[in-house]
């Protein structure tokens, strides 16, 4: 009798679903947003090693895309000119494949967390060869497995000019098309992105557009622009985010939100006359919520995420992926930047891995859309 009731309940569930996928639990980000864009998270080393089974289960339940937060940066994956270390990246890719996830590679050419041997090269041919070897070895190894790459990361200054790096110094701006060309030659089907922060700022946005156009004019493929999305409770405005999405999309490329988090703490740069070198570490003013986030800020935070996702949904035809920069508040880089040892609350899951009101605010947005 008990079994009969169970079978009937399952059958009822099935006949009430238009499609078999609807039987899956609806209360996850990836099931809620499955028709809109990939929803991703950055994974740290411990998560890639699957050290905590609860976190592992949460990641596969909520997200259908992953990015490695650090392990694929050149200082880790290519620490010496003649040696690569693929151990953790192999695990990361296997984990993504096992869970049928969209796997994003971060990052091939970046001046920061750079393998030190790159900076020793002063000859342009030698550096071009080193970049080719670096990109083709890494992209080639994961050909057909890694779905998109940040080919170049953070090449721009805030005024839209090119950042002074070892790459610019030795090769001039040719290093940019060169990097995209090598990545394409290694895997013609993976998506190739330029990724940067403050991509909503007008001067930087114009610089990014000029840069992408110059690469495209050479007949070299760029598939997308990554707007990192390290944003605050107030800034950037929804209007500036929207203008940026539209301007980038008008280049004929996809837009991805690649490193989303909302910083709720005061910034030393916002203080009038603040000296950035001042020691704020023990300052209550700069670390105002060491125990928990007050309800008023939690509400503001949830509303901010809801407004942002409302915009993403409006432009879902232009946005391929939205990735959070971490799973939960405890792991966020924003606990240590720009001031070490603060307690920040930038993500959708709290330190106990519980979904916050902001999580519900995103789900609610979609449920409302469905009922309209
Ligand atoms: O590897 C060392 C380890 O050996 C040492 O024990 C430990 C002690 O602090 O530090 C480890 O290095 C840390 C590294 O992450 C790897 O975990 C660095 O201190 C730490 O500064 C570094 O921070 C990373 C930062 O990039 C470096 O620029 C953050 O975790 C990571 O979230 C952040 O991510 C960047 C994106 O790649 C690009 N866009 C901006 C974003 C935020 O800065």
């Amino acid at each position: 009798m008990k079994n009969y009731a169970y079978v009937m309940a399952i059958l009822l569930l099935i006949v009430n679903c238009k499609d078999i996928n609807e039987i899956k639990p609806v209360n996850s980000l990836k099931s809620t947003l499955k028709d809109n864009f990939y929803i991703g998270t950055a994974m740290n080393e411990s998560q890639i090693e699957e050290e905590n089974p609860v976190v592992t289960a949460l990641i596969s339940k909520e997200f259908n895309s992953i990015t490695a937060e650090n392990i694929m940066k050149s200082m880790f994956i290519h620490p010496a000119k003649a040696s690569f270390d693929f151990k953790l990246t192999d695990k990361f890719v296997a984990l993504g494949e096992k869970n049928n996830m969209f796997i994003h590679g971060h990052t091939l050419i970046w001046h920061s967390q750079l393998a030190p041997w790159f900076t020793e090269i002063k000859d342009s041919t030698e550096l071009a060869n080193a970049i080719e070897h670096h990109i083709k070895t890494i992209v080639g190894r994961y050909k057909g497995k890694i779905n998109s790459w940040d080919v170049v990361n953070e090449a721009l200054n805030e005024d839209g000019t090119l950042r002074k790096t070892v790459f610019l110094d030795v090769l001039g701006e040719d290093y940019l098309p060169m990097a995209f060309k090598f990545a394409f030659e290694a895997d013609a089907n993976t998506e190739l992105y330029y990724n940067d922060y403050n991509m909503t700022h007008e001067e930087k946005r114009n610089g990014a557009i000029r840069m992408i156009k110059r690469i495209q004019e050479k007949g070299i493929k760029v598939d997308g622009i990554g707007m990192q999305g390290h944003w605050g409770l107030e800034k950037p405005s929804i209007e500036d985010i929207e203008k940026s999405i539209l301007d980038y999309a008008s280049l004929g490329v996809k837009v991805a939100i690649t490193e989303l988090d909302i910083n709720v703490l005061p910034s030393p740069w916002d203080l009038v006359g603040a000296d950035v070198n001042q020691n704020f570490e023990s300052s209550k003013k700069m670390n105002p919520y060491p125990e928990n986030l007050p309800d008023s800020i939690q509400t503001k935070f949830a509303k901010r995420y809801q407004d942002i996702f409302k915009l993403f949904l409006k432009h879902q035809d232009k946005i391929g992926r939205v990735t959070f920069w971490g799973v939960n508040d405890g792991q966020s880089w924003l606990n240590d930047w720009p001031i070490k040892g603060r307690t920040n609350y930038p993500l959708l899951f709290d330190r106990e891995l519980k979904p916050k009101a902001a999580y519900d605010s995103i789900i609610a947005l979609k449920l409302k859309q469905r009922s309209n």
Side-chain angles (χ1 to χ4, degrees):
M1 191 60 201
K2 222 172 165 186
N3 282 349
Y4 175 76
Y6 179 72
V7 170
M8 283 311 286
I10 296 282
L11 282 175
L12 256 174
L13 191 65
I14 292 174
V15 292
N16 280 319
C17 292
K18 276 188 244 97
D19 135 48
I20 195 80
N21 288 327
E22 289 184 31
I23 298 173
K24 288 180 192 159
V26 287
N27 57 338
S28 76
L29 292 169
K30 75 174 184 192
S31 59
T32 306
L33 296 163
K34 69 178 172 21
D35 298 329
N36 308 107
F37 32 70
Y38 286 110
I39 190 84
T41 184
M43 295 180 73
N44 63 21
E45 199 172 323
S46 155
Q47 292 162 346
I48 292 165
E49 294 277 20
E50 301 187 64
E51 283 172 4
N52 179 339
V54 182
V55 181
T56 303
L58 182 71
I59 291 173
S60 61
K61 173 178 176 259
E62 298 289 344
F63 302 102
N64 51 23
S65 175
I66 49 172
T67 303
E69 185 179 6
N70 283 300
I71 55 135
M72 293 168 75
K73 294 169 179 173
S74 65
M75 67 180 283
F76 298 115
I77 201 169
H78 194 176
K81 195 173 180 189
S83 72
F84 289 86
D85 182 350
F86 291 119
K87 200 166 139 264
L88 280 168
T89 305
D90 284 354
K91 274 194 180 173
F92 166 75
V93 171
L95 194 147
E97 287 191 307
K98 186 176 78 186
N99 291 299
N100 202 18
M101 288 161 152
F102 183 96
I103 306 172
H104 180 70
H106 174 78
T107 171
L108 294 166
I109 298 296
W110 190 27
H111 66 279
S112 183
Q113 289 178 295
L114 179 67
W117 59 267
F118 263 120
T119 59
E120 285 155 21
I121 304 175
K122 306 291 174 217
D123 175 73
S124 58
T125 307
E126 197 189 336
L127 185 58
N129 289 340
I131 290 176
E132 179 169 12
H133 181 58
H134 176 74
I135 292 179
K136 289 192 174 171
T137 307
I138 300 170
V139 177
R141 182 179 181 92
Y142 302 107
K143 184 175 178 178
K145 296 182 172 195
I146 291 195
N147 305 93
S148 62
W149 281 98
D150 289 332
V151 178
V152 178
N153 200 46
E154 301 172 9
L156 292 165
N157 293 314
E158 293 309 288
D159 66 359
T161 58
L162 289 179
R163 184 195 287 272
K164 187 172 160 47
T165 63
V166 57
F167 306 111
L168 187 71
D169 276 354
V170 178
L171 291 163
E173 64 179 84
D174 284 353
Y175 87 87
L176 296 157
M178 188 184 278
F180 279 88
K181 180 172 167 283
F182 293 150
F184 177 76
E185 286 169 358
D187 184 353
N189 295 319
T190 193
E191 293 177 6
L192 308 178
Y193 278 75
Y194 174 71
N195 188 51
D196 211 329
Y197 57 84
N198 288 348
M199 292 288 273
T200 55
H201 294 188
E202 191 179 354
E203 281 190 312
K204 197 161 186 176
R205 180 171 62 223
N206 292 338
I209 290 170
R210 280 195 302 274
M211 186 183 87
I212 299 301
K213 278 188 174 160
R214 281 202 296 271
I215 301 174
Q216 289 175 326
E217 278 159 14
K218 291 183 186 292
I220 291 169
K221 183 176 93 125
V222 178
D223 294 289
I225 294 197
M227 297 170 62
Q228 292 187 1
H230 297 297
W231 293 332
L233 281 171
E234 317 274 352
K235 290 187 225 162
S237 68
I238 294 295
E239 291 71 29
D240 281 345
I241 301 173
E242 180 163 40
K243 177 158 178 34
S244 309
I245 293 171
L246 294 173
D247 285 2
Y248 294 137
S250 72
L251 290 167
V253 300
K254 280 190 194 176
V255 175
I257 312 298
T258 54
E259 304 183 13
L260 184 59
D261 45 27
I262 304 293
N263 192 342
V264 300
L265 297 184
S267 157
W269 297 291
D270 285 345
L271 295 180
V272 182
D275 176 357
V276 179
N277 298 316
Q278 209 174 312
N279 182 4
F280 291 112
E281 273 160 48
S282 56
S283 149
K284 181 136 182 26
K285 192 168 181 184
M286 297 312 285
N287 189 23
Y289 320 120
E291 304 303 332
N292 51 51
L293 197 62
D295 286 350
S296 59
I297 313 283
Q298 197 73 262
T299 307
K300 205 170 167 186
F301 178 81
K303 169 82 168 53
R304 175 70 164 151
Y305 262 117
Q306 191 172 54
D307 292 345
I308 288 172
F309 269 79
K310 201 171 175 183
L311 180 74
F312 294 165
L313 290 170
K314 180 177 172 193
H315 295 297
Q316 59 177 329
D317 58 324
K318 300 173 182 64
I319 297 176
R321 175 172 56 93
V322 176
T323 289
F324 291 91
W325 206 236
V327 178
N328 70 92
D329 290 342
Q331 85 170 88
S332 172
W333 71 292
L334 287 170
N335 293 304
D336 287 312
W337 188 90
I339 299 168
K340 264 200 171 306
R342 294 198 294 179
T343 309
N344 213 329
Y345 303 83
L347 296 164
L348 296 189
F349 295 90
D350 68 15
R351 285 170 167 74
E352 279 73 49
L353 300 172
K354 293 204 186 67
K356 295 158 51 172
Y359 174 99
D360 298 333
S361 78
I362 295 170
I363 305 269
L365 201 59
K366 274 293 299 190
L367 295 179
K368 194 170 157 223
Q369 205 182 52
R370 276 181 204 154
S371 67
N372 284 340

